[in-house]
C-alpha cells in the first residue's frame, strides 16, 4: 500500500460525521458500525494520504453498487476464517 505511514483515513457516509481510522488508515475498531451503515448508504466519501505526499489528501467518492451484497458475503465469510 502507498498509504502514508502513521496517517489517518476518513470515511463519511451520507451526511454523517467523518469517522477516522486508527493509525495507518485501518478501520478496525469501528468496522462493524461502518459496515452496517454502508448497507443503506447513498453517498460514501473517503479521504486518505499516500506516500510521499503527507499534506495532500486524496478524496474519493465511492460507487455503492453491490455494496450491500459484498458486505453480506464478507459477514458470512469472516467466521469461516477465524
Amino acid at each position: 500500500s502507498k498509504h502514508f505511514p502513521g496517517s489517518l483515513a476518513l470515511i463519511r457516509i451520507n451526511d454523517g460525521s467523518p469517522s477516522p481510522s486508527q493509525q495507518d488508515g485501518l478501520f478496525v475498531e469501528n468496522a462493524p458500525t461502518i459496515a452496517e451503515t454502508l448497507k443503506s448508504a447513498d453517498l460514501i466519501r473517503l479521504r486518505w494520504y499516500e506516500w510521499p505526499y503527507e499534506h495532500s489528501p486524496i478524496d474519493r467518492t465511492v460507487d455503492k453498487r453491490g455494496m450491500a451484497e459484498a458486505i453480506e458475503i464478507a459477514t458470512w465469510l469472516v467466521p469461516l476464517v477465524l
Side-chain angles (χ1 to χ4, degrees), residues 10-11 13 19-21 26-41 44 46 67 71:
L10 295 166
I11 184 169
I13 302 169
S19 295
S21 67
L26 300 175
F27 294 94
V28 177
E29 294 172 7
N30 50 359
T33 302
I34 291 172
E36 190 59 36
T37 307
L38 284 174
K39 290 180 184 179
S40 61
I44 304 162
L46 300 165
M67 182 71 67
I71 291 169

Side-chain angles (χ1 to χ4, degrees), residues 9-70:
L10 295 166
I11 184 169
R12 181 187 300 251
I13 302 169
N14 296 325
D15 291 324
S17 298
S19 295
S21 67
Q22 285 73 52
Q23 189 172 349
D24 291 328
L26 300 175
F27 294 94
V28 177
E29 294 172 7
N30 50 359
T33 302
I34 291 172
E36 190 59 36
T37 307
L38 284 174
K39 290 180 184 179
S40 61
D42 292 319
L43 181 62
I44 304 162
R45 291 174 283 186
L46 300 165
R47 172 175 279 187
W48 69 91
Y49 298 84
E50 285 187 357
W51 179 262
Y53 308 105
E54 179 181 14
H55 301 291
S56 298
I58 296 171
D59 294 319
R60 294 285 187 269
T61 300
V62 178
D63 183 347
K64 68 171 205 101
R65 287 181 288 175
M67 182 71 67
E69 293 84 359

Side-chain angles (χ1 to χ4, degrees), residues 1-14:
S1 169
K2 294 181 180 181
H3 188 81
F4 195 92
S7 67
L8 299 179
L10 295 166
I11 184 169
R12 181 187 300 251
I13 302 169
N14 296 325

